[in-house]
Every structure is written in C-alpha cells, then in structure tokens.
Amino acid sequence: MKSYSAAAALAGLISTVAGHGFITSPKPRMPGDAMKSACGQQVYNNQASDNYGNVQGELQVASSQSDYDEAACDIWLCKGYKFDDNKDNVQTFTAGETVPFTVDIRAPHTGVANVSVVKTSSNTVIGSAFQSWDVYASNAATIPANQTSFDITIPSDIGSECSTAGDCVIQWYWNAASIDQTYESCVDFTVGGSGSGSDGGPSSTPSSSAVATSTAAATSAAATSAAAAATSSAQATSTSAAAAPSSTGGSSSTLPEEFTLDTFISWLEQTAGSSSSKKARRARVHARAF
Ligand SMILES: *[C@@H]1O[C@H](CO)[C@@H](O)[C@H](O)[C@H]1NC(C)=O
Ligand SMILES: *[C@@H]1O[C@H](CO)[C@@H](O)[C@H](O)[C@H]1NC(C)=O
Ligand SMILES: [Cu+2]
C-alpha cells in the first residue's frame, strides 16, 4: 500500500472529490439559470462549482431538494444543463464537416464511452455513434490521446432534425459502471449547408461568443497526479476494512506525517465526527461530493 505525505493526500482527496471529465472544445453547454429553475438551487450549485462532476453526484444532491423537478431537469441529458442557458453558444456546422473535439479527463476510471448526436426532445440517439469505446479512461494505463482528442464528421442526413438550435446536441458520454459514475458533456449545434436538404435553415448563431468554458478550479499537475494515485489506491483498498487509528477515545487524534489513504479517511472520520463517517466512507470507495 502506498503512503502519502499530508499535502499530497489532501490534494489528492480534494481533487478526487472533484469530477473528472468534460468537453473543452467545441464550447460545451454550461449550467445557468434555466438549469437552476429546473434542477433546483443545490443541483445547480453542485455543477456550477464543478462542471466536471457526474450525474450520480447530482442525483445525490437532488434527492433531498424540493425544488428539483425531475421531468424538467431531465438530468440524464447533458446532466440537466439547458439550451436556454447556452443560446449564445451554438455551433454552426455543415454536412460533411470535420470537427475536432477535445475532452479533459482529470482522473481515470475504467468505463465505456461514446459520442453521438442526441435529439433533445426525446433524449434519443440519432444515427450511430461518432465514437464508441468499450474501454475508456482505463485506470490500468495512460489514457490514449485518441480518447481525449478526436475528430467527428457531421453526417449529411441530420439536417432536417438538427437545423434548429436546441433540437440536437453532440453528447460525450462516459460511464464508469464499477463506481457508478456517469459523465456527460454536450455541444449545441445546428447543421446547415449543402447536402443537408435543410428546409428551415439554421439560425446561424456565431460560435465565437464569449461564453466562458474555463474550469471551475485550476488543478495543479501535482494535485492531478496525486488524485490519480489516490483514486487507484482507494479502489485497490476499497474492500479492506479501514485501518487504524484505533478509536478508543475518539476525541482528538493527530495525523501522522506519512499515512495511507485509508488511515487518512479513518482519521477524518474520527476528527470530523460520526456524521461525516458515511460521507468519508463514500469518499473512500469513490469520492463524489462532500
Ligand atoms: C452510448 O453508451 C450508452 C451506455 O452504454 C448507451 O446507452 C448508448 O446507447 C450509447 N450510444 C450509442 C450511440 O451507442
Ligand atoms: C488509439 O490509440 C491507440 C494507441 O495509443 C491505438 O492502439 C488505437 O488503435 C487507437 N484507436 C483508434 C480508433 O485510432
Ligand atoms: Cu471518479
């Protein structure tokens, strides 16, 4: 079992708590007021503070909120992010156009992933996936560059369904079933131009708007690698019982300079009290959100 210095473990835990994946280009859908009114204040806060977070983390937050409207939020489509918050952020593509995509993965989790056109009114996939990975972001290896940087080619037969802004998104979908974490990120777009047979014609919103896509918090390289290490350690040890420090008094224990992640979580449970222990345990298996 690996040991970490206090700083590394803290950095690792903190960035393990943060979410792990999002599209960085083209400009993706971001949270906003329409999402807030559909999904509730707390779900909005959860994503506004970390748009890299996963759907299950949102659902966990939503479960205790009366202003979460399940139907309106439609959380499995783009994590509940709304077109109405992204009207100035619509890409205009033409049939046959090659569009480079980049995805940022902050920590790996072996899963499956795909990238497809999704019809927003029904949350159904149109056509076949642009990309589909049986093994994605594996913990066992360095993430291949072609999983985070790839081209898609805009099909010629979606012009009629995707000519109006808001009707379709290109959704990147990553599901790590073993840890029950699903990540989604969407790009709003319209298709026009030759070969599409588009009758309505796209509302050509410029794609150069100044919508910020920057991440909520910049993660240092050190924190990122600590996160990866902490994550794999957490998984490797997730079935073993929590190690010491033994809780005889349970009042105040000091954190040793070197410790394992398990030890740190145990210490956290002792120090923060039993109400935090469930959260800490969840974090130990895999952190979502404190
Ligand atoms: C993408 O993956 C999910 C989960 O496996 C699946 O439900 C969905 O149908 C896939 N999309 C496509 C276009 O294959
Ligand atoms: C992605 O890259 C890996 C090597 O890093 C290669 O083995 C694999 O065939 C590539 N996949 C595609 C679809 O190009
Ligand atoms: Cu994770």
Side-chain angles (χ1 to χ4, degrees), residues 16-20 54 107-109 174 179 181 183 231 235 286-288:
T16 302
V17 164
H20 309 319
N54 57 69
H109 279 310
W174 169 30
I179 44 146
Q181 292 188 359
Y183 297 90
T231 301
Q235 288 183 332
H286 195 87
R288 267 173 211 149

Side-chain angles (χ1 to χ4, degrees), residues 62-231:
S63 64
S64 57
Q65 302 301 313
S66 58
D67 59 353
Y68 169 65
D69 181 335
E70 185 178 348
C73 185
D74 199 8
I75 207 161
W76 290 98
L77 174 68
C78 307
K79 297 197 296 185
Y81 295 15
K82 299 301 174 205
F83 169 66
D84 282 350
D85 294 323
N86 292 271
K87 285 179 171 170
D88 296 333
N89 187 23
V90 179
Q91 309 299 313
T92 305
F93 298 139
T94 53
E97 182 177 351
T98 298
V99 181
F101 266 68
T102 55
V103 172
D104 183 22
I105 306 279
R106 288 179 170 169
H109 279 310
T110 309
V112 299
N114 56 44
V115 179
S116 7
V117 175
V118 175
K119 188 176 178 128
T120 55
S121 59
S122 55
N123 192 7
T124 52
V125 170
I126 297 176
S128 50
F130 295 115
Q131 298 280 347
S132 188
W133 294 273
D134 295 335
V135 178
Y136 189 79
S138 170
N139 294 82
T142 305
I143 299 174
N146 57 16
Q147 294 188 356
T148 54
S149 182
F150 48 85
D151 290 342
I152 65 161
T153 302
I154 303 300
S156 57
D157 57 357
I158 60 171
S160 58
E161 289 186 276
C162 303
S163 62
T164 302
D167 285 359
C168 296
V169 291
I170 294 171
Q171 181 172 254
W172 165 85
Y173 173 99
W174 169 30
N175 185 37
S178 62
I179 44 146
D180 194 28
Q181 292 188 359
T182 307
Y183 297 90
E184 294 173 345
S185 183
C186 290
V187 171
D188 281 291
F189 75 102
T190 57
V191 182
S194 59
S196 70
S198 156
D199 42 18
S203 61
S204 55
T205 313
S207 59
S208 57
S209 66
V211 173
T213 56
S214 67
T215 58
T219 316
S220 71
T224 303
S225 57
T231 301

